Amino acid sequence: MAAGLAYRTGFEVTFVRLAIVVATLFTGGFAAVAYVVAWLVMPAIGTDTTIWSQARTDRRGITLAGGLASVLFFLTFITQLLGSGLLATVEWPLILCPAFLVLIWRNAPASEQARMRHLAEPLLGLTTDNRWSRAWPRVTFSFVLLIAGTVILVDGHKSIKMLAPLGGAMLVLAAVALLLGPWWLGIARDLVEERRARIRAEERADMAARVHDSVLQTLAMIQRRADQPQQVVQLARAQERELRSWLFDGRAPGSLDGEDMTFAGGVRRIQQEVEAQHGVAVEAVTVGDCELTEDLGALLAAAREATVNAVKWSGADVVSLFAEVEPEAVSLYVRDRGRGFDPSAVPGDRKGLAESIHARMARRGGSATVRSAPGEGTEVSLTMPRSGERQPSRA
Amino acid sequence: MTAPSRPRVVIVDDHGLFRSGVRSELGGQVEVVGEADDVQPAISMIAERLPDVVLLDVHLPGGGGQMVVTALRAAVPEVRFLALSASDAPEDVIAVVRAGARGYVTKTISGTDLVDAIRRVAAGDAVFSPRLAGFVLDAFAAMPEASQDRPLFDPELDQLTTREREVLRLIARGYTYKEIARELTISIRTVETHVSSVLRKLQLSTRHQLTRWAAERRLT
């Protein structure tokens, strides 16, 4: 607000702030009220509507401010009854400030709300995550005050005559609490209800956005490509996998690659990428999981090569991937039911591909076997010993 | 036991579209005698029509598919259940199988494979898809070996034999029973025996590890 005032008056922001603080001290708090009012009626930088114009339409907020003002009015009334002159000087600002602050809070732009919340959090401890760890200093402190106050009262006033006005005050307090209590409670309940409704609405919106981004988009694409069955199947499979990983592994749609990718994650990735690029279904089953080491990275690269080969050459409409993580070794099998070939009579180019898988595995101390016969499909078995003594971590 | 040539089937799934899809895919090879979309209607329909096989969705609005199996297993033991689902959390699948289903296949299964699986279940065999084989290997691998401070409840039920493990691995690798038989040079009947034995262990093992494995899966 000070920035806005400075912007309008042409003074430095710091100067305006200092002036307000000094004025507050001298006028016994009235400048603070003026500050709050100014905040209400002046548009924040970058917005057109003032907080005040929004606040006027915020009926719930006005009710809340009224309720709060009445509570505070009642409290100042009590302190006056008790004869404490200390609070009397700031009486009206004390009532008005919080009331207007409520209106401001409810109608301020989101960024300002966040800043105010951040400021108020440690002071009040009234925020949403009102956990015991944060509340206990407050509770302890109030207990100490309560006990000390009682001791002073009992000690200082030996005769109970002096307690008569206090008793009267208590009666008034009780009366007003009875009178206005339900209303205050109602307001508090409304606030809680409103908050819950907002959280629900936000969750719903988030869910809707994700379903829209993934499922609805895919369905739209499927409708457009209804004449190309293979593409439809491919789309449906990719979508199914994405949805599954969102529902059961908690991974957001479209974010398969995490920094902390595991071996099983790598297998899923091969499955997804090969299906997306070649339009052939890949069934992947993994047992166990572990950290992705360099050796296992090589294993995955070889497996990918083998999978792409199967997809390209076998003519099968599905390729099976099975990976198992055991304490001593990781094995991976790529199998298809395609046309197969005679390993002893392979053409040169395919031999080269097999060699690249063999060589890749051998460099890391692993092994690769290719089993195939014409008409019976092909299976590539890859095994990589696990270096070190790390135990498998099961996911 | 011999399989009836045209098994009578009830389809339980909450998606009407999926039910009609399965119905048309099964064609004339099985006799679909009823459809149900939730736990309660399914229970009463199955008890009344006594089909050979129930195709049971793992997820139903009124509770999991295992509720249907649990409710009917004692009353009509001759009805066999084959679980199928699209989006399967391993613990849900294992729960249905532990409740008494004779097997589990994914909804992406082809029509001929599904008919084959139904025939197999109708004949009293177990049907493991590669995915279920993976889940089971995972569940049993998660169980620690017996030790002094942690003795096995029942070593016969709580561990898979080496052969059973081999069979499961081959299923997970995409082998058919016939191919497994050839690979291990045993008869198809022996493969079926191994699979049924794994199913029995899965259903009868009282180990806490199976439950704990499921709980851990849920956490990660």
Side-chain angles (χ1 to χ4, degrees):
Chain A
M1 204 296 297
L5 201 62
Y7 177 73
R8 257 147 242 274
T9 51
F11 286 112
E12 278 277 314
V13 180
T14 325
F15 178 77
V16 174
R17 284 194 178 130
L18 266 177
I20 290 167
V21 171
V22 171
T24 313
L25 286 178
F26 276 97
T27 56
F30 276 97
V33 180
Y35 183 89
V36 167
V37 171
W39 197 351
L40 278 178
V41 295
M42 281 174 54
I45 296 175
T47 56
D48 296 331
T49 56
T50 66
I51 293 173
W52 176 245
S53 68
Q54 283 183 39
R56 265 179 315 186
T57 55
D58 180 16
R59 288 188 53 199
R60 198 190 288 264
I62 289 170
T63 322
L64 186 71
L68 198 64
S70 71
V71 173
L72 286 166
F73 175 75
F74 175 64
L75 280 180
T76 33
F77 177 67
I78 297 296
T79 50
Q80 274 190 327
L81 264 189
L82 289 174
S84 158
L86 192 69
L87 286 170
T89 50
V90 288
E91 177 192 333
W92 285 104
L94 199 65
I95 292 168
L96 288 177
C97 276
F100 280 114
L101 275 172
V102 166
L103 282 176
I104 289 168
W105 161 252
R106 289 179 53 86
N107 296 286
S111 62
E112 276 191 47
Q113 271 192 10
R115 213 169 59 216
M116 285 192 275
R117 190 185 291 127
H118 182 68
L119 283 175
E121 219 163 86
L123 290 175
L124 298 174
L126 285 172
T127 47
T128 48
D129 54 342
N130 203 349
R131 277 164 301 182
W132 179 242
S133 59
R134 236 183 248 189
W136 79 264
R138 201 156 43 88
V139 174
T140 321
F141 189 60
S142 56
F143 261 103
V144 168
L145 280 186
L146 190 71
I147 291 165
T150 320
V151 167
I152 290 168
L153 268 176
V154 172
D155 254 21
H157 310 280
K158 294 284 188 216
S159 75
I160 48 162
K161 223 188 293 173
M162 296 293 280
L163 288 177
L166 187 68
M170 293 297 259
L171 275 179
V172 177
L173 193 85
V176 177
L178 266 178
L179 199 67
L180 296 178
W183 186 43
W184 294 337
L185 268 180
I187 289 169
R189 250 200 314 271
D190 277 3
L191 272 182
V192 170
E193 194 46 49
E194 193 184 69
R195 195 190 156 69
R196 277 210 198 111
R198 200 174 57 236
I199 290 172
R200 270 200 301 270
E202 274 167 13
E203 274 172 1
R204 233 187 115 76
D206 185 49
M207 190 93 176
R210 287 185 172 199
V211 170
H212 173 264
D213 287 351
S214 52
V215 181
L216 292 184
Q217 297 281 20
T218 310
L219 284 178
M221 277 156 78
I222 285 177
Q223 283 168 33
R224 274 211 304 276
R225 297 184 195 177
D227 52 331
Q228 295 153 289
Q230 202 186 9
Q231 283 206 6
V232 169
V233 169
Q234 187 188 334
L235 278 169
R237 290 192 131 262
Q239 185 55 63
E240 181 202 332
R241 202 167 34 254
E242 192 178 284
L243 210 53
R244 198 196 299 283
S245 78
W246 178 35
L247 293 177
F248 302 117
D249 305 335
R251 220 176 286 108
S255 65
L256 192 75
D257 41 348
E259 313 78 65
D260 50 354
M261 201 167 77
T262 61
F263 175 72
V267 175
R268 274 197 296 270
R269 194 165 173 179
I270 293 178
Q271 177 193 29
Q272 190 176 47
E273 288 176 3
V274 172
E275 278 189 2
Q277 282 164 19
H278 302 277
V280 173
V282 178
E283 293 273 12
V285 174
T286 54
V287 171
D289 199 359
C290 64
E291 235 179 292
L292 190 54
T293 59
E294 270 182 48
D295 288 354
L296 295 181
L299 174 65
L300 284 179
R304 195 195 163 83
E305 185 84 41
T307 313
V308 171
N309 276 350
V311 162
K312 273 193 194 158
W313 303 102
S314 73
D317 49 7
V318 60
V319 175
S320 303
L321 265 181
F322 171 62
E324 185 174 18
V325 178
E326 289 172 292
E328 317 81 42
V330 178
S331 1
L332 205 154
Y333 303 87
V334 182
R335 175 170 166 82
D336 68 71
R337 261 171 229 292
R339 57 179 72 98
F341 60 97
D342 181 359
S344 61
V346 279
D349 60 329
R350 289 200 63 178
K351 189 166 183 169
L353 286 171
E355 284 298 316
S356 97
I357 292 172
H358 278 296
R360 202 177 249 143
M361 294 299 290
R363 266 202 300 279
R364 299 271 176 181
S367 62
T369 340
V370 180
R371 278 176 49 182
S372 185
E376 300 205 357
T378 306
E379 185 175 55
V380 179
S381 321
L382 306 167
T383 312
M384 183 66 77
R386 295 184 69 189
S387 50
E389 53 290 291
R390 268 164 303 187
Q391 286 300 301
S393 73
R394 298 202 160 264
Chain B
M1 191 181 296
T2 52
S5 56
R6 271 186 91 217
R8 300 170 68 246
V9 173
V10 163
I11 305 171
V12 182
D13 195 295
D14 53 322
H15 293 100
L17 201 63
F18 181 76
R19 286 201 306 271
S20 59
V22 168
R23 195 191 258 272
S24 69
E25 212 165 19
L26 292 176
Q29 308 198 63
V30 305
E31 187 187 347
V32 179
V33 294
E35 289 179 19
D37 62 355
D38 206 351
V39 175
Q40 284 313 319
I43 290 173
S44 39
M45 172 180 289
I46 294 163
E48 181 200 317
R49 306 201 183 163
L50 295 176
D52 296 312
V53 176
V54 177
L55 282 183
L56 183 65
D57 190 3
V58 172
H59 300 272
L60 290 171
Q66 77 250 40
M67 289 177 70
V68 181
V69 187
T70 316
L72 289 164
R73 204 149 78 118
V76 283
E78 67 273 23
V79 175
R80 302 205 166 88
F81 295 89
L82 175 59
L84 81 171
S85 103
S87 47
D88 32 18
E91 59 273 12
D92 295 339
V93 174
I94 295 285
V96 176
V97 174
R98 268 171 75 80
R102 298 295 300 172
Y104 165 77
V105 292
T106 44
K107 281 184 179 175
T108 45
I109 191 171
S110 74
T112 43
D113 285 351
L114 184 58
V115 172
D116 188 50
I118 291 172
R119 289 232 171 88
R120 220 174 261 285
V121 169
D125 285 329
V127 171
F128 277 25
S129 62
R131 198 177 276 160
L132 177 59
F135 290 165
V136 174
L137 278 172
D138 216 18
F140 276 94
M143 295 182 172
E145 299 287 311
S147 64
Q148 265 112 2
D149 52 322
R150 246 188 333 221
L152 290 171
F153 279 40
D154 182 346
E156 209 273 311
L157 283 181
D158 297 336
Q159 273 181 325
L160 300 178
T161 64
T162 316
R163 243 308 130 78
E164 286 161 356
R165 232 176 265 275
E166 277 173 356
V167 170
L168 282 182
R169 279 201 187 104
L170 288 172
I171 294 175
R173 277 157 72 175
Y175 282 58
T176 61
Y177 285 12
K178 203 169 113 194
E179 290 167 334
I180 295 171
R182 200 176 52 188
E183 173 77 20
L184 300 177
T185 50
I186 51 179
S187 70
I188 294 183
R189 198 59 244 175
T190 313
V191 175
E192 286 167 353
T193 312
H194 284 307
V195 177
S196 296
S197 153
V198 171
L199 184 79
R200 194 174 60 92
K201 288 183 179 183
L202 194 62
Q203 288 171 348
L204 295 185
S205 173
T206 48
R207 287 204 59 146
H208 298 311
Q209 271 76 12
L210 264 183
T211 342
R212 197 184 302 158
W213 170 81
E216 277 166 13
R217 293 291 308 211
R218 214 177 274 280
L219 284 179
T220 50

